Amino acid sequence: MKPVHEKAVIIGISGPSSSGKTTLARLLQRVFCGVNLKEDSRLNTFIIHEDDFYFPDDKIPYTTTASGEKIQDWDTASAIDIPFLSQALHYVRENGTLPPRLRSKEDQNDTTDSGVSDEVVQELRDIVRSRLQNEAAEKSTEKSPTIAFLEGFLLFAPPEQEQHVLRSVHDAIHLSLFLPAAYELVKARREGRSGYVTVGPAPEPVQGTEDGGDGGKDGGDGKTGTDIDLEAEDDRPPQNFWVDPPGYVDDVVWPRYVTDHAWLLIAEDGDEDQKDGSQTLTEAELVRRIGDGTRARTDVGVEVAPGCGSAGMDVVLRWAVELILGYYLDRMGV
C-alpha cells in the first residue's frame, strides 16, 4: 500500500449498546498514545465519541412502543447529527486534531472496570513501540499521522448501498472494527446503567416527530443547507441527563440495532438471506431471525472481534492492537 499523506488514521469501533466500544477505545488510546516513533517523535491519539453528535434533546425523534407509549428514540440514525459527524471526521483526517467546535460530554458518563490489567496494557505498548521503531527506522522524517479512535453504535453502511444515511461516515473510516454482543448481555449492562449525559435542554413532546417525522433529519442524503463552523467554539445548550424508561432495551435499543445491522448479522440458523430481504421483513421478524445477535459476516470489509461477543476484553484488545498496528504500518508504507 502506498504512503498516504493524510494527518490522521481513523479507526471505527462499533457494535450494539454496552458491547464495550468505549472501553476498547480507551484501552487502545492507552496502548498507542505517546509511543516513541523516533527520537524526536511520539504518536498522537485521541477518541471521538459518536454520542457527542446527538441532536439537542428537543430534536430527538419520538416512537410509539408496542404498548402504545410514546417515548424518545435515541437509538436511530435520525437522533444523530450525521452531517456534523461526517464533517468532523474529514476535519480530523485533514488536520490530525479534533475540531475546536467539538466538546465531549462522554467522559461524564459512567465508567466501568475494563477487566484488563496495567501489565497487559504495558506489554502491548512495548510491542507497539518496538514494531513502530523497527519497521519505521528507514521512513522519512515527516511527522507520522495521528490515530483517532471513533466509537459509536451506528457507524457502518452496507457496501452495496451508496446512498445509505451512514455512507459518508463509513467512507471516512480507514479501519472498521465490530464488537458483537449477545442480547442478554446488552440488556443486563444497559439496564444496569444510571443514565446518560445529553446535550440538553430537557425535551417536551413534539408533534410530528414520530418515526418518519423530521426529528432533526437531513433528508437522508447526509447533507444540510449550511456547513457547521468547526473552528468555532461549542455553543450548544446546557447539558441534561437521560434515563432509559422501563422496557427501553426491548422496545427500542435491541430492535433498532438488529434492523440497522441486518446486512451485517447472520441469522440464528446461519441463513444470511436477511441481508437482502431485510427491507421486506418486519422489525419483529428480523429480531426473531437474528436471535442473540452474536454472529456477523466477515466478507463486507468489517473486521469482527473474536469470540462472538464472549471473549474477554484482553483478547479483544490484543486482536484490535494487532489489526491497527498492521494497518498503520501498511498505510504509512513502512
Side-chain angles (χ1 to χ4, degrees):
M1 187 179 296
K2 295 181 179 179
V4 175
H5 299 294
E6 291 178 313
K7 294 184 178 180
V9 170
I10 297 178
I11 310 299
I13 306 170
S14 194
S17 175
S18 306
S19 59
K21 302 180 296 295
T22 305
T23 298
L24 179 60
R26 288 170 175 161
L27 285 167
L28 288 169
Q29 187 180 36
R30 289 178 61 194
V31 169
F32 283 90
C33 185
V35 168
N36 291 86
L37 300 175
K38 290 171 292 189
E39 187 174 326
D40 59 347
S41 177
R42 291 178 179 270
L43 183 59
N44 182 44
T45 71
F46 54 82
I47 300 175
I48 307 169
H49 303 282
E50 186 178 33
D51 284 3
D52 289 326
F53 294 87
Y54 272 110
F55 283 112
D57 297 19
D58 54 353
K59 298 294 185 181
I60 301 300
Y62 283 77
T63 188
T64 301
T65 67
S67 64
E69 182 182 6
K70 188 175 182 180
I71 59 174
Q72 283 190 301
D73 182 355
W74 294 81
D75 289 75
T76 175
S78 299
I80 302 292
D81 191 340
I82 293 173
F84 180 18
L85 173 56
S86 178
Q87 192 178 342
L89 294 180
H90 285 286
Y91 181 99
V92 168
R93 288 173 62 141
E94 294 172 4
N95 296 278
T97 62
L98 281 170
R101 174 81 181 185
L102 186 60
R103 181 180 62 195
S104 179
K105 60 180 176 50
E106 175 60 31
D107 289 338
Q108 299 181 48
N109 286 321
D110 290 345
T111 58
T112 57
D113 182 7
S114 71
V116 178
S117 68
D118 292 341
E119 289 76 16
V120 169
V121 172
Q122 185 58 51
E123 174 197 343
L124 292 172
R125 280 183 62 83
D126 292 340
I127 291 172
V128 168
R129 182 181 64 251
S130 176
R131 286 186 59 184
L132 284 175
Q133 289 178 348
N134 291 339
E135 299 188 43
E138 303 302 321
K139 190 175 183 294
S140 69
T141 57
E142 183 180 354
K143 185 177 179 181
S144 297
T146 291
I147 298 180
F149 302 107
L150 166 66
E151 62 89 13
F153 72 106
L154 277 176
L155 298 180
F156 306 146
E160 68 278 4
Q161 294 186 25
E162 289 298 322
Q163 301 303 314
H164 192 276
V165 66
L166 293 171
R167 174 54 54 203
S168 62
V169 173
H170 194 159
D171 286 351
I173 295 169
H174 293 94
L175 179 63
S176 301
L177 309 181
F178 184 73
L179 310 185
Y183 159 76
E184 291 294 345
L185 180 63
V186 169
K187 182 177 175 68
R189 287 181 176 175
R190 178 77 183 233
E191 292 182 347
R193 292 181 174 178
S194 60
Y196 301 84
V197 174
T198 69
V199 172
E204 294 292 337
V206 179
Q207 297 298 319
T209 57
E210 176 185 348
D211 291 344
D214 59 17
K217 291 183 180 178
D218 58 24
D221 60 0
K223 300 178 181 179
T224 53
T226 58
D227 285 339
I228 296 169
D229 183 1
L230 295 178
E231 299 287 356
E233 291 299 319
D234 189 343
D235 59 357
R236 287 177 292 179
Q239 296 169 347
N240 194 20
F241 196 74
W242 161 267
V243 177
D244 288 345
Y248 187 73
V249 172
D250 291 313
D251 288 337
V252 178
V253 174
W254 188 255
R256 291 287 188 269
Y257 162 68
V258 168
T259 301
D260 289 333
H261 295 86
W263 62 276
L264 180 59
L265 299 173
I266 299 175
E268 198 168 40
D269 59 6
D271 186 1
E272 296 184 24
D273 286 347
Q274 80 277 355
K275 70 179 182 290
D276 297 318
S278 59
Q279 298 301 316
T280 61
L281 295 176
T282 67
E283 190 176 78
E285 289 170 338
L286 279 173
V287 169
R288 283 194 297 271
R289 286 176 62 82
I290 294 302
D292 68 0
T294 57
R295 299 180 61 190
R297 297 172 63 193
T298 58
D299 60 345
V300 287
V302 175
E303 301 287 348
V304 180
C308 295
S310 64
M313 184 53 71
D314 57 335
V315 174
V316 174
L317 177 61
R318 291 180 184 277
W319 162 81
V321 168
E322 185 61 30
L323 282 174
I324 294 166
L325 185 55
Y327 181 87
Y328 188 80
L329 291 170
D330 285 345
R331 185 83 180 175
M332 295 307 103
V334 299

